[in-house]
Amino acid sequence: MAANDAMMDLLRVLKDKGSITQEEYELLSGAAKADDETNSAGQGEIKAAAATLPRIETRGKLELATPDGEFSWRLGGRIHMDAAFMNNDTGFDASGAKSDPTLTSGTEFRRTRLDLTMTLWRVWQAKIQYDFTGAAAAGFRDVYVRYLFKGAQPGHLTVGNFKEPFSLDELISSNDDTFNEHSIATNTFSLSRQIGLQYSTWGHDLWTGTVGVFGEDPVASANHPGAGNDAEGYSVVGRLTLSPFHTADRVAHLGLAGSWRTPDQGDSGITFGPRPEINQADILVTTGAIPGIEGYTRLGLELAGVYGPVHGQAEYYNVDVNRGDELALGAAGMFEDLNFDGYYLQGGWIITGESRPYKFESGTFENPKPRSIVGNGGWGAWEAVARYSHVDLQDDDLGICMLATAANTCGEQTNLSGGVNWYPTPNFKFTAQYVQVLDIDGGRYDGAEPGIFQLHTQANW
Amino acid sequence: MAANDAMMDLLRVLKDKGSITQEEYELLSGAAKADDETNSAGQGEIKAAAATLPRIETRGKLELATPDGEFSWRLGGRIHMDAAFMNNDTGFDASGAKSDPTLTSGTEFRRTRLDLTMTLWRVWQAKIQYDFTGAAAAGFRDVYVRYLFKGAQPGHLTVGNFKEPFSLDELISSNDDTFNEHSIATNTFSLSRQIGLQYSTWGHDLWTGTVGVFGEDPVASANHPGAGNDAEGYSVVGRLTLSPFHTADRVAHLGLAGSWRTPDQGDSGITFGPRPEINQADILVTTGAIPGIEGYTRLGLELAGVYGPVHGQAEYYNVDVNRGDELALGAAGMFEDLNFDGYYLQGGWIITGESRPYKFESGTFENPKPRSIVGNGGWGAWEAVARYSHVDLQDDDLGICMLATAANTCGEQTNLSGGVNWYPTPNFKFTAQYVQVLDIDGGRYDGAEPGIFQLHTQANW
Amino acid sequence: MAANDAMMDLLRVLKDKGSITQEEYELLSGAAKADDETNSAGQGEIKAAAATLPRIETRGKLELATPDGEFSWRLGGRIHMDAAFMNNDTGFDASGAKSDPTLTSGTEFRRTRLDLTMTLWRVWQAKIQYDFTGAAAAGFRDVYVRYLFKGAQPGHLTVGNFKEPFSLDELISSNDDTFNEHSIATNTFSLSRQIGLQYSTWGHDLWTGTVGVFGEDPVASANHPGAGNDAEGYSVVGRLTLSPFHTADRVAHLGLAGSWRTPDQGDSGITFGPRPEINQADILVTTGAIPGIEGYTRLGLELAGVYGPVHGQAEYYNVDVNRGDELALGAAGMFEDLNFDGYYLQGGWIITGESRPYKFESGTFENPKPRSIVGNGGWGAWEAVARYSHVDLQDDDLGICMLATAANTCGEQTNLSGGVNWYPTPNFKFTAQYVQVLDIDGGRYDGAEPGIFQLHTQANW
């Protein structure tokens, strides 16, 4: 594709007409060819250099990659800040051994993370993510090494610290949660991140399957060396999801997850008890540390969908606690098995018309992407949200539970929450949400109905 | 702007002269146009690609940005290391309840920070900065989300953890301090970073105004949840600066700041007491924890200037402590209000002739930029500095203060300091500074006059 | 180098032949020159822009630099994860005061680091590296400022926190260790990183020399301020290496290192005692805290080599402990001086044929670079390794040592280890290694022979 064809043509014409001699023609066409090579070389050099330039993304995220994508580096992070204002409802019956909740208003950093996610040599990945609001083992979040299967059956094998495949609410990134905090049901029954090994795969644009073996979280695990415990606790966890359709504005999602866990025999007991949907608030119902647990089985059911700007999500959790009979408790002579459960229903309406996006391969949802940007003449995306949640930590066989002592406050809790979320750009989110405890039935705070208002400020990149 | 006009002209001439036919002319000029398009397309393609390339700065700082600057990412940080050599002056009168200061020579990391500062979607900013010499909440430094007002009245609104707008000495970045440590007066009366909400604006190339509401710092704030305290302490803080001129080598700066603060009622007391201008040294005068504080009002006055290579800076601070009368103290029957104050004067002469730069919008100063670089044939910038500082923590109404017990050592302290700063490049700084305690009047170390020599090594990027 | 010489030549020919007039010639050649300038300017502009583009490396590491290399920024890091399975060998004689080792199987994050290494202004460097498995001072790794001597005698001067120049096994990066953990001998006698000042140089492609003064590590150093200790401990350390040849597949390395150290007089005692070559396992032999140490002298001898795919490495360490006579111990009346030593021999065979690379300037080794990449049709590099190690912490003059109490368990330990290392790409490493304690002679675990199996997963970039 020489760029001086005209000169070559002209020389030929002039030679044919005898305007220049054959000798002159040869000299001149030689010079013309040299010109062309000089030109092409200059451009080619630049094009070659440009082709090897990394692909650099700076709009909304920071990612450097090779042009073929075989290597990529993304420096991500998030800042989540909260201010909570508590209404303690101190007017309820505080006679007997019961006490008022003393929820403290105030501010806190909820999450301050940096992470580096790398694709290396095409089929390998590694991620290191640290949350500075923790320290040492408490600060570990996703830290893993992953192998990508790129063949006929796509999938990945992951080893490290990451979320177990249990609970849609838990698996959705904290950047993308509809509510500031998980429901009391999720918070009670999901274990979030642990050190483990997991295989995940998917197919037919319809189903995903994930199965993993997990030990303990890094804090619990770091307490082992030299501590003389018998063994590290471990789980087998699996999750299946089904999504018959998932377009930009229509999604149906079903999920089923199960887990069987043997706790560390050195632990003094396992506790089930949630924060009341605001991190800064005290736990209001809890089983206390249950002794003698040999293992427990968890079950989770997920149902979620998107219909234009409206989205809904519901889950049911059940845990079946198996306790050994080798230890006696009072007159009862042995430990009884226990069963707890909980559920939530939540929904949102994106007033500005965007839809909540679905990620098929992980079976999770993301924040709506605002169509109009604040700072570019727009108003961002606005969303109204509501949630009803319930957890039942009452089991007659727990025995010690109805005593409602300070140390052991099991019972039932029901919450109703509502709020407004504002997404001025894809990187920022502000929410104002109110959690009303509808009822606490049993336990230390029996009958209390505190309310909590929370402002949440978020940057994620 | 075709780049083969000569060919077009020549063809026209040859056609006009009859050297080539009209038909040949049309063919040849068509080929010439095609050549030109090929050429232009090649160059245009490359230019278009170049225009979308991010703007990447690697000389002295690491910043990636979109060409229009609407998005930018800067990975910054600092390493500050100190070695201190203490002269304890153990020869003073140590009779009675008084004791010798036991300052310990040694090395330490003073600051080791990484930070990521982002501009996103033109008018939004976020910054996350962590100091690894702390841990968890103690490591938080600037972590905030900011909205930039780009209209007729420029300014910004910030929410997160950052420095309250009080004290020029405090607001100058620790990278740019003339002395290794703040004066004893600054260290006593400024609160540095807290979680807060702040609006800042400026105008007429003359004035800046900043006002904010602040809660507690992240360490104090993180102690709240579940701790049962009544409330988080909070302040209202404002600062006005005036700079009638600020050229490259002439600056005048005046500042006035005020703050009213209500402490957390759960706190057992508030302490005013500075490190003696070296971080590794013990506190020599302090009020101890003052009980019964209902609130306190701080006032700060700033005066600073640059005249060629000479710069000067002075501040006066006053705090008025309001104590309630609901608690009795000994025979006195109630708490008295208290008043403390302090000031410093400091100056520097940049021997190599550079001037100390001023940042008008924040009303602060920066390190001189060396004209000649070590490593590029130069010697860097050299600066001689001196400071006189005084703090008065003696108030007869404090009552318990003259007892000079170990637990409560209020008094007055006066320091004289001097040193040499070397800036071999804009990214490195080395200092050798000596702090002489001229006098301690009252308190546990009454009459002691220790001296401290410190070597400081700094990299910042 | 004009790129339209042909046009100029043609015009000259046509003018000489009279096909165009002198006037036409001048006009046309003017136009041709203008064309050339337009063309050159376009290309020159692009070339100039390209020349100022940073040099960005994204294949296997992330580094941004100026084209001349005078500034560079590298964001590195590593994830090391371990799972250990312990065989406690509880069958040995546990009578008397002796006890069984209770090694606990489990998982842990061994290292999770991020680091930023910078070259600034050609001859300056800085590095900040933090390990998130620690916290605050415990997380500091390499944090330093360095000046590069680029003249006739190359070298560098470093101040900060980094490894003292003692022990080849210690100086090799933890990414590049042949075994998951250092030998028991190395772990006993090397001090790794401390705050210090060091000069290093090399010459004739034959020798390197390094000498430094070191204080304490950041954890010990951070405990100083206000703690009332007398002084910070300090060492003088030096190392000489000799490598008569070091090609891609043939290396000979000899090293000699010495150190004299005065401990912090405020310390209650110095302990020599290694982890048994797995970090999660308890210490099996240790001197306990030795009181009355005035100083100690360490000596290290290094011998290593590479012959094609085979490599070997051996070291001998000796410490001579000088104890004061100012404190009496029982009937003995004064402390006796002590002497301990240890050594290891290890070797590896890279089955897939690669050689272990040598870094002459630091006198250390690196991981083999796999010739075939997993993910690109290859199988990576595979290596079989073995090690024999011994440490003798028995000294009759320690007096209290033969008592074999829980608090003091000195003795001798001998280990034999073997394993397989897999390097699927240059950024990932997986190992399976077994450590068999051949013998513990003396101390609390006298006669025990536990074994430990460990799986190690590593990403480094």
Side-chain angles (χ1 to χ4, degrees):
Chain A
M1 296 301 262
N4 61 349
D5 292 338
M7 173 61 76
M8 298 302 287
D9 291 350
L10 173 61
L11 295 176
R12 209 155 21 233
V13 166
L14 293 174
K15 182 195 69 174
D16 293 347
K17 286 184 178 291
S19 300
I20 56 174
T21 65
Q22 174 71 22
E23 200 176 318
E24 282 166 346
Y25 169 75
E26 273 159 24
L27 269 169
L28 286 165
S29 64
K33 272 179 200 150
D35 285 357
D36 190 38
E37 274 158 28
T38 303
N39 253 322
S40 301
Q43 288 203 6
E45 198 179 299
I46 294 167
K47 279 188 188 171
T52 64
L53 280 179
R55 191 161 40 78
I56 300 177
E57 180 63 71
T58 51
R59 301 185 69 83
K61 66 175 181 172
L62 183 61
E63 189 172 69
L64 294 91
T66 51
D68 56 17
E70 293 202 354
F71 294 82
S72 72
W73 308 77
R74 178 170 179 187
L75 187 62
R78 71 191 67 180
I79 300 171
H80 293 190
M81 301 183 283
D82 292 333
F85 305 90
M86 311 291 189
N87 174 4
N88 274 306
D89 180 37
T90 55
F92 76 104
D93 177 9
S95 64
K98 293 167 189 169
S99 45
D100 294 352
T102 53
L103 309 177
T104 308
S105 300
T107 59
E108 74 162 7
F109 283 96
R110 183 65 179 94
R111 294 177 189 90
T112 46
R113 298 185 190 167
L114 281 177
D115 46 75
L116 183 64
T117 310
M118 294 154 277
T119 301
L120 299 163
W121 310 98
R122 196 173 66 93
V123 296
W124 297 85
Q125 287 188 331
K127 181 173 181 183
I128 182 167
Q129 181 186 48
Y130 199 77
D131 195 324
F132 295 104
T133 52
F140 281 83
R141 295 299 180 269
D142 282 346
V143 185
Y144 60 72
V145 168
R146 175 173 284 177
Y147 182 84
L148 305 176
F149 296 94
K150 297 258 193 185
Q153 185 55 44
H156 45 70
L157 185 70
T158 311
V159 58
N161 191 54
F162 50 91
K163 288 180 184 173
E164 59 164 12
F166 187 90
S167 166
L168 173 61
D169 201 15
E170 181 69 54
L171 288 167
I172 291 171
S173 163
S174 63
N175 286 328
D176 298 318
D177 282 335
T178 298
F179 279 85
N180 295 340
E181 299 292 336
H182 294 150
S183 80
I184 44 175
T186 311
N187 197 234
T188 302
F189 299 110
S190 80
L191 294 179
S192 195
R193 289 182 184 81
Q194 297 146 73
I195 298 175
L197 175 73
Q198 173 181 290
Y199 173 69
S200 189
T201 186
W202 51 87
H204 305 94
D205 204 29
L206 173 67
W207 60 270
T208 78
T210 304
V211 63
V213 186
F214 293 86
E216 298 184 343
D217 67 79
V219 174
S221 193
N223 288 333
H224 274 278
N229 289 333
D230 282 348
E232 186 165 330
Y234 63 95
S235 318
V236 178
V237 190
R239 179 179 182 240
L240 281 166
T241 72
L242 207 66
S243 178
F245 54 89
H246 38 267
T247 64
D249 60 356
R250 295 283 188 282
V251 179
H253 167 96
L254 291 104
L256 170 67
S259 161
W260 173 77
R261 183 166 182 84
T262 299
D264 181 349
Q265 299 305 315
D267 282 355
S268 57
I270 308 293
T271 301
F272 296 93
R275 294 253 170 222
E277 302 182 353
I278 297 293
N279 188 59
Q280 289 163 280
D282 297 324
I283 289 171
L284 298 175
V285 296
T286 170
T287 61
I290 303 174
I293 295 184
E294 292 202 325
Y296 57 89
T297 306
R298 287 174 298 153
L299 182 78
L301 298 173
E302 311 168 6
L303 183 64
V306 170
Y307 188 84
V310 176
H311 56 89
Q313 183 179 323
E315 287 187 88
Y316 171 78
Y317 307 100
N318 185 291
V319 62
D320 213 63
V321 179
N322 177 27
R323 297 203 289 174
D325 54 6
E326 60 272 49
L327 293 173
L329 176 73
M334 62 178 60
F335 288 130
E336 300 284 345
D337 290 351
L338 303 169
N339 190 281
F340 309 115
D341 66 0
Y343 62 87
Y344 72 89
L345 297 98
Q346 73 186 32
W349 170 45
I350 304 167
I351 305 162
T352 44
E354 291 88 344
S355 287
R356 184 157 168 81
Y358 182 67
K359 292 166 73 182
F360 165 69
E361 289 176 12
S362 59
T364 57
F365 291 89
E366 287 186 319
N367 280 337
K369 293 277 168 293
R371 282 177 196 158
S372 79
I373 300 290
V374 175
N376 202 10
W379 289 99
W382 291 81
E383 183 183 33
V385 297
R387 177 167 66 191
Y388 181 88
S389 56
H390 178 81
V391 65
D392 178 0
L393 301 177
Q394 200 80 27
D395 188 305
D396 291 343
D397 293 327
L398 192 51
I400 48 176
C401 194
M402 294 309 291
L403 303 179
T405 63
N408 204 297
T409 65
C410 66
E412 296 183 38
Q413 183 177 349
T414 310
N415 284 2
L416 181 63
S417 310
V420 174
N421 300 340
W422 178 41
Y423 309 86
T425 84
N427 294 109
F428 294 92
K429 178 178 180 179
F430 299 86
T431 81
Q433 299 181 354
Y434 190 82
V435 177
Q436 179 61 51
V437 177
L438 290 185
D439 189 33
I440 295 177
D441 183 10
R444 184 179 177 187
Y445 299 118
D446 183 32
E449 295 172 7
I452 307 161
F453 180 66
Q454 192 179 51
L455 295 169
H456 172 83
T457 301
Q458 173 177 327
N460 56 282
W461 59 90
Chain B
M1 296 303 262
N4 61 349
D5 292 337
M7 174 60 76
M8 298 302 286
D9 291 349
L10 173 62
L11 294 175
R12 210 158 19 236
V13 167
L14 293 173
K15 181 195 69 176
D16 292 347
K17 286 185 179 289
S19 299
I20 56 175
T21 65
Q22 174 70 21
E23 199 175 319
E24 282 166 346
Y25 169 76
E26 272 159 25
L27 271 168
L28 287 165
S29 63
K33 273 179 199 149
D35 285 358
D36 190 39
E37 273 156 29
T38 303
N39 253 322
S40 300
Q43 288 203 6
E45 197 180 299
I46 295 167
K47 278 188 188 173
T52 64
L53 281 179
R55 191 161 40 78
I56 300 177
E57 179 63 71
T58 51
R59 301 186 69 81
K61 66 174 181 175
L62 183 61
E63 189 173 68
L64 294 92
T66 51
D68 56 16
E70 293 202 354
F71 293 83
S72 73
W73 308 77
R74 178 170 177 187
L75 187 62
R78 70 193 67 182
I79 301 171
H80 293 190
M81 301 183 283
D82 291 333
F85 306 89
M86 311 292 189
N87 173 3
N88 274 308
D89 181 36
T90 54
F92 76 104
D93 177 8
S95 63
K98 291 166 191 170
S99 45
D100 294 353
T102 53
L103 309 178
T104 310
S105 300
T107 58
E108 72 162 9
F109 282 96
R110 182 65 178 93
R111 294 178 189 88
T112 45
R113 299 185 189 167
L114 281 178
D115 47 75
L116 182 65
T117 309
M118 294 154 276
T119 301
L120 299 165
W121 310 97
R122 195 172 69 91
V123 295
W124 297 84
Q125 288 189 331
K127 180 174 181 183
I128 183 167
Q129 181 185 49
Y130 199 77
D131 195 323
F132 295 103
T133 51
F140 280 84
R141 294 300 180 269
D142 282 346
V143 185
Y144 60 72
V145 168
R146 176 173 283 179
Y147 181 83
L148 306 176
F149 296 95
K150 298 259 192 182
Q153 185 55 44
H156 45 70
L157 185 70
T158 313
V159 58
N161 191 54
F162 50 90
K163 288 180 183 173
E164 59 164 13
F166 187 89
S167 168
L168 174 60
D169 201 16
E170 181 69 54
L171 288 168
I172 291 171
S173 163
S174 63
N175 286 327
D176 298 318
D177 282 335
T178 298
F179 280 85
N180 295 341
E181 299 292 337
H182 294 149
S183 80
I184 43 175
T186 310
N187 197 234
T188 302
F189 300 110
S190 79
L191 294 180
S192 194
R193 289 182 185 82
Q194 296 145 73
I195 299 175
L197 175 72
Q198 173 183 290
Y199 172 69
S200 188
T201 186
W202 50 88
H204 305 93
D205 205 29
L206 174 67
W207 59 271
T208 77
T210 305
V211 64
V213 187
F214 294 86
E216 298 184 344
D217 67 79
V219 174
S221 193
N223 288 332
H224 274 279
N229 288 333
D230 283 347
E232 185 165 330
Y234 63 95
S235 317
V236 178
V237 189
R239 180 178 181 241
L240 281 165
T241 72
L242 208 66
S243 178
F245 54 89
H246 40 265
T247 64
D249 61 355
R250 296 283 188 282
V251 179
H253 167 96
L254 291 105
L256 170 67
S259 162
W260 173 77
R261 182 166 183 84
T262 299
D264 181 349
Q265 299 305 313
D267 283 354
S268 58
I270 308 294
T271 302
F272 296 94
R275 295 253 169 221
E277 302 183 351
I278 297 292
N279 188 60
Q280 289 163 280
D282 298 324
I283 289 171
L284 298 175
V285 296
T286 170
T287 62
I290 302 174
I293 294 184
E294 293 203 323
Y296 57 88
T297 307
R298 286 174 297 152
L299 182 78
L301 297 173
E302 311 168 4
L303 183 64
V306 171
Y307 189 84
V310 176
H311 57 89
Q313 183 180 322
E315 287 186 88
Y316 171 77
Y317 308 100
N318 185 292
V319 62
D320 213 64
V321 179
N322 176 28
R323 298 205 288 175
D325 54 7
E326 60 274 48
L327 294 172
L329 176 73
M334 62 177 62
F335 288 131
E336 300 284 345
D337 290 352
L338 303 169
N339 190 282
F340 309 114
D341 66 359
Y343 62 87
Y344 72 88
L345 297 97
Q346 75 186 30
W349 169 46
I350 304 167
I351 305 164
T352 44
E354 292 88 345
S355 286
R356 184 159 168 80
Y358 183 67
K359 293 167 73 181
F360 165 69
E361 289 176 11
S362 60
T364 57
F365 291 89
E366 287 186 318
N367 280 338
K369 294 275 168 295
R371 283 177 195 156
S372 80
I373 301 290
V374 175
N376 201 9
W379 288 98
W382 290 81
E383 184 183 34
V385 297
R387 178 166 67 191
Y388 180 87
S389 57
H390 179 80
V391 65
D392 178 0
L393 300 177
Q394 200 79 26
D395 187 304
D396 290 344
D397 293 327
L398 192 51
I400 49 176
C401 194
M402 296 307 294
L403 302 178
T405 63
N408 203 296
T409 65
C410 65
E412 296 183 38
Q413 182 176 348
T414 311
N415 284 2
L416 182 63
S417 310
V420 173
N421 301 341
W422 179 40
Y423 309 87
T425 84
N427 293 108
F428 294 92
K429 179 178 179 178
F430 299 86
T431 81
Q433 299 181 353
Y434 191 84
V435 176
Q436 179 61 51
V437 177
L438 290 185
D439 189 32
I440 294 177
D441 183 11
R444 183 180 178 184
Y445 300 118
D446 183 32
E449 294 172 7
I452 307 161
F453 180 66
Q454 191 179 51
L455 295 169
H456 172 83
T457 300
Q458 174 177 326
N460 56 283
W461 60 91
Chain C
M1 297 300 263
N4 61 350
D5 292 338
M7 173 60 76
M8 298 303 286
D9 292 349
L10 173 62
L11 294 175
R12 212 158 17 236
V13 167
L14 293 174
K15 182 195 68 176
D16 292 348
K17 287 186 178 290
S19 299
I20 57 174
T21 64
Q22 174 69 21
E23 201 176 319
E24 282 166 348
Y25 170 75
E26 272 158 24
L27 270 167
L28 287 165
S29 64
K33 273 180 200 150
D35 284 359
D36 191 38
E37 274 156 29
T38 302
N39 252 321
S40 301
Q43 288 204 5
E45 199 179 299
I46 294 167
K47 279 189 187 171
T52 65
L53 280 179
R55 190 161 42 78
I56 301 177
E57 179 63 70
T58 51
R59 300 184 69 82
K61 66 174 181 173
L62 183 61
E63 189 173 67
L64 293 92
T66 51
D68 56 17
E70 293 203 354
F71 294 83
S72 72
W73 308 77
R74 178 170 178 187
L75 187 62
R78 71 193 67 181
I79 300 171
H80 293 190
M81 301 183 284
D82 291 333
F85 305 90
M86 311 291 188
N87 174 3
N88 275 308
D89 180 36
T90 54
F92 76 103
D93 176 8
S95 65
K98 292 167 192 170
S99 45
D100 293 353
T102 52
L103 308 177
T104 309
S105 300
T107 59
E108 73 161 8
F109 283 96
R110 182 65 179 96
R111 293 178 189 90
T112 46
R113 298 185 191 167
L114 281 177
D115 46 76
L116 183 64
T117 310
M118 294 154 276
T119 302
L120 299 164
W121 309 98
R122 195 173 68 91
V123 295
W124 297 85
Q125 288 188 332
K127 181 174 180 183
I128 184 167
Q129 181 186 48
Y130 199 76
D131 195 324
F132 295 105
T133 51
F140 280 83
R141 294 300 180 269
D142 282 347
V143 185
Y144 60 71
V145 168
R146 176 173 283 178
Y147 182 84
L148 306 175
F149 295 95
K150 298 256 192 183
Q153 185 55 44
H156 45 70
L157 185 70
T158 312
V159 59
N161 191 55
F162 51 90
K163 288 179 184 174
E164 59 165 13
F166 188 88
S167 167
L168 174 60
D169 201 17
E170 180 69 54
L171 288 167
I172 291 171
S173 164
S174 63
N175 286 327
D176 298 317
D177 282 335
T178 297
F179 279 84
N180 296 341
E181 299 292 336
H182 294 151
S183 79
I184 44 175
T186 310
N187 198 235
T188 302
F189 299 109
S190 79
L191 294 179
S192 194
R193 289 183 184 81
Q194 297 145 73
I195 298 175
L197 176 71
Q198 172 182 289
Y199 173 70
S200 188
T201 186
W202 52 85
H204 304 94
D205 204 28
L206 173 68
W207 60 269
T208 78
T210 304
V211 64
V213 187
F214 293 86
E216 299 183 345
D217 67 79
V219 174
S221 193
N223 288 332
H224 274 279
N229 288 333
D230 283 346
E232 186 165 331
Y234 63 96
S235 318
V236 178
V237 190
R239 179 179 183 239
L240 281 166
T241 72
L242 208 66
S243 177
F245 54 89
H246 39 266
T247 65
D249 60 357
R250 296 282 188 283
V251 179
H253 166 96
L254 292 104
L256 170 68
S259 161
W260 173 78
R261 183 166 182 85
T262 299
D264 182 349
Q265 298 304 316
D267 283 353
S268 58
I270 309 294
T271 302
F272 297 93
R275 295 252 170 222
E277 302 183 352
I278 297 292
N279 188 60
Q280 289 163 279
D282 297 324
I283 289 171
L284 298 175
V285 296
T286 169
T287 61
I290 303 174
I293 295 185
E294 292 202 324
Y296 57 89
T297 306
R298 286 174 297 153
L299 182 77
L301 297 174
E302 311 167 6
L303 182 64
V306 170
Y307 188 84
V310 176
H311 57 87
Q313 183 180 321
E315 287 187 87
Y316 170 78
Y317 308 99
N318 185 292
V319 63
D320 212 64
V321 178
N322 177 26
R323 298 204 290 175
D325 55 6
E326 61 273 49
L327 293 172
L329 176 73
M334 62 177 62
F335 289 130
E336 299 284 346
D337 290 351
L338 304 169
N339 191 283
F340 309 114
D341 65 0
Y343 61 88
Y344 73 88
L345 296 98
Q346 74 186 32
W349 169 45
I350 304 167
I351 305 163
T352 44
E354 291 88 344
S355 286
R356 183 158 168 81
Y358 183 67
K359 292 167 74 182
F360 165 69
E361 289 175 12
S362 59
T364 57
F365 291 89
E366 288 185 317
N367 280 338
K369 294 275 168 294
R371 282 178 195 157
S372 80
I373 300 289
V374 175
N376 202 10
W379 288 99
W382 291 81
E383 184 183 33
V385 297
R387 178 167 66 191
Y388 180 88
S389 57
H390 179 79
V391 65
D392 178 0
L393 300 177
Q394 199 80 24
D395 187 305
D396 291 343
D397 293 327
L398 192 53
I400 49 176
C401 194
M402 296 307 293
L403 303 178
T405 64
N408 203 297
T409 64
C410 64
E412 296 184 39
Q413 182 176 349
T414 309
N415 284 2
L416 181 65
S417 310
V420 173
N421 300 341
W422 178 41
Y423 309 87
T425 84
N427 293 109
F428 295 92
K429 179 178 178 178
F430 299 86
T431 80
Q433 298 182 353
Y434 191 82
V435 177
Q436 179 60 52
V437 177
L438 290 185
D439 189 33
I440 295 177
D441 182 11
R444 183 179 177 186
Y445 300 117
D446 184 31
E449 294 171 8
I452 307 162
F453 180 66
Q454 192 179 50
L455 295 169
H456 172 83
T457 301
Q458 173 177 327
N460 56 282
W461 60 90

